[in-house]
Amino acid sequence: NTNASGTAIVTLGTLYINASNGNAQDTISGGTFVFTSADVSRDIDGNILSNKVIEVSGVTVNDGNSGSNYDITYADNNSSRINPFAVNLTGTRVYDGTTDADSSDLAIGALVGEETLTLSGAGSVGNRHVGDAKAVTLGSLELGDGINGGLANNYTFTGGTQTIDITQASLTISTTDVVRTYDGSLSAAGTAVAVEGTEVFAGDSLSGGTFAFTNANAGINKTVTVSNVTVNDGNSGSNY
């Protein structure tokens, strides 16, 4: 909106002490103050300018004579400022081994009225691990004009909070095929691998593990059980 919380001042002339009003100092109060435009003013580099115009009217002159002791004119204020509204971002994505925080994983918080904005680009988080409300470094994240009067010029990330939750990735671990000669034991020299459409992301690995046939007899399509595999992800396996 265009409402302004102004305070009336005298820019030309003098408010006198009125001998006919108990030697009281004449004063001014109240008034209606309205910006001529509701939008933030910026220069070509995006810096916020203090050149907004406020129209002034309806000021009360308290002079004991209903203001009739003064010939009142109004002067616009030409050096006011509208600061942009601070935007919050929140989001959630599944762990993928990167520090990326893409715009598609983030949502814009509450804006003014019914205005909307768009969001593009990508930011990043301080580390790649699972965690809640991880601070997002803005990178190339950028607001764009939306609908219902939403203009990116009137908004800023500065002063807002931008966070993302990174949740655990699903990981199903099995073993590569094991082929050995019958020796009466259940032992199996397996190698841990990700299966069923899950994956171990770049920078992470699997090691160790306990592998055992479910019975010791010779045969094909034998079942090997898998346990105690170590997930090396720099986070004690907690990213999966």
Side-chain angles (χ1 to χ4, degrees), residues 176-236:
T176 56
D177 292 340
V178 178
V179 179
R180 72 164 175 80
T181 301
Y182 171 77
D183 65 1
S185 75
L186 298 175
S187 65
T191 300
V193 292
V195 296
E196 297 182 2
T198 65
E199 64 179 304
V200 177
F201 293 101
D204 300 338
S205 63
L206 303 177
S207 61
T210 301
F211 311 94
F213 286 102
T214 54
N215 68 66
N217 299 324
I220 61 173
N221 297 324
K222 304 285 292 182
T223 298
V224 176
T225 62
V226 181
S227 61
N228 300 322
V229 174
T230 299
V231 178
N232 306 293
D233 66 351
N235 195 30
S236 301

Side-chain angles (χ1 to χ4, degrees), residues 3-14:
N3 293 334
S5 298
T7 300
I9 60 172
V10 174
T11 58
L12 183 65
T14 303

Side-chain angles (χ1 to χ4, degrees), residues 1-2 35-43 46-53 80-86 112 115 149 151-156:
N1 65 61
T2 56
F35 285 103
T36 56
S37 165
D39 296 325
V40 175
S41 180
R42 298 178 187 262
D43 63 18
N47 300 308
I48 301 167
L49 300 176
S50 296
N51 63 354
K52 301 294 295 183
V53 176
S80 288
R81 175 184 178 116
I82 295 178
N83 289 318
F85 185 95
V112 174
E115 293 182 1
L151 299 177
N153 180 70
N154 291 328
Y155 293 87
T156 181

